[in-house]
Amino acid sequence: PYQTMIFMGGTGSFSQRPSDTERQLQSFNRVENMLRGGRAVLFPLWAGSYERSDGYSVMGSLAPAWREKTVQWVKELNQSIDYLETRDDIDADRIGFQGVSFGAAMSPVLLAMEPRLKTAVLNGGGFFAISAEIGDFPPEIDPATYAPRVTASVLMMNGRYDAIFPYESSQVPFFEALGTPESQKKHLTYPSGHSSYGWNMEY
């Protein structure tokens, strides 16, 4: 049975349409790395993304829309794992999460709310540092609220000079807030900005 990673991409997922081909899937190269490594990947079209666009915007939506979407994403994650558990070709005890940029930033909510996730690979994430219409997150959907409740093992990879998730004010506080035991989490940085320079060899 395959170990499986459930994927959530960046903000481009919520403006990109359609999702007909691999080239149209945002950050598919990260998915391909997992596939080449011998794992299965589940690529949900999360609420508000691709053909499921409904006006939600990462940068332009207010707290009520964020709250609605966050609840939907958690439910969709739960349902995704329910589905994987029905398949004989999937190892139900080895299901992880891969988040890129926005997906990595939102990962504490998803990881804390779904204990069946055993591990996470987070690329280019951290606590949100760029101003958006939502302003301060309501605590019920704030990733910082959930980070201490994360127990899955975590590999976090970032560009040291990322202007979207700055190292000192975003990446380090995010990593330190994770409730994962110190021996089960690792933060790697590379001489790059908000990109994947050097990460592909670390999977």
Side-chain angles (χ1 to χ4, degrees):
Y2 290 104
Q3 299 177 23
T4 304
M5 300 296 283
I6 300 175
F7 183 82
M8 188 177 205
T11 57
S13 304
F14 298 94
S15 58
Q16 173 68 38
R17 284 177 287 282
S19 62
D20 296 336
T21 68
E22 293 173 359
R23 290 191 177 194
Q24 294 170 318
L25 294 175
Q26 200 252 0
S27 299
F28 186 79
N29 61 319
R30 314 291 173 79
V31 173
E32 189 174 22
N33 289 334
M34 291 290 179
L35 296 173
R36 290 182 182 276
R39 292 171 175 80
V41 177
L42 181 66
F43 196 113
L45 298 188
W46 303 93
S49 69
Y50 297 102
E51 290 86 349
R52 299 185 66 201
S53 175
D54 57 3
Y56 168 77
S57 164
V58 172
M59 297 302 294
S61 294
L62 298 175
W66 272 84
R67 187 180 296 109
E68 177 185 352
K69 284 294 173 286
T70 303
V71 171
Q72 287 179 293
W73 297 331
V74 171
K75 289 181 179 179
E76 289 169 356
L77 176 63
N78 299 153
Q79 292 163 354
S80 294
I81 297 180
D82 290 345
Y83 163 70
L84 290 172
E85 289 181 335
T86 69
R87 296 184 55 130
D88 294 335
D89 57 346
I90 299 298
D91 187 341
D93 294 323
R94 294 188 176 185
I95 298 174
F97 176 83
Q98 183 184 20
V100 174
S101 189
F102 176 82
M106 289 302 296
S107 67
V109 180
L110 300 172
L111 293 169
M113 294 301 293
E114 182 43 88
R116 290 177 291 180
L117 291 172
K118 304 302 184 185
T119 191
V121 176
L122 308 179
N123 303 135
F127 287 136
F128 289 101
I130 291 180
S131 178
E133 288 297 320
I134 188 175
D136 293 332
F137 277 83
E140 66 271 20
I141 60 170
D142 189 345
T145 302
Y146 293 84
R149 296 169 171 81
V150 173
T151 59
S153 60
V154 173
L155 171 60
M156 182 173 166
M157 294 182 280
N158 291 87
R160 180 63 175 80
Y161 310 108
D162 191 335
I164 296 177
F165 297 99
Y167 178 78
E168 296 288 351
S169 60
S170 173
Q171 298 174 28
V172 171
F174 181 101
F175 182 76
E176 292 180 347
L178 295 172
T180 303
E182 291 295 327
S183 62
Q184 297 296 312
K185 63 180 181 178
K186 188 172 186 178
H187 184 202
L188 302 177
T189 60
Y190 300 88
S192 66
H194 194 63
S195 71
S196 60
Y197 175 81
W199 300 351
N200 293 345
M201 299 304 293
E202 301 290 344
Y203 280 81

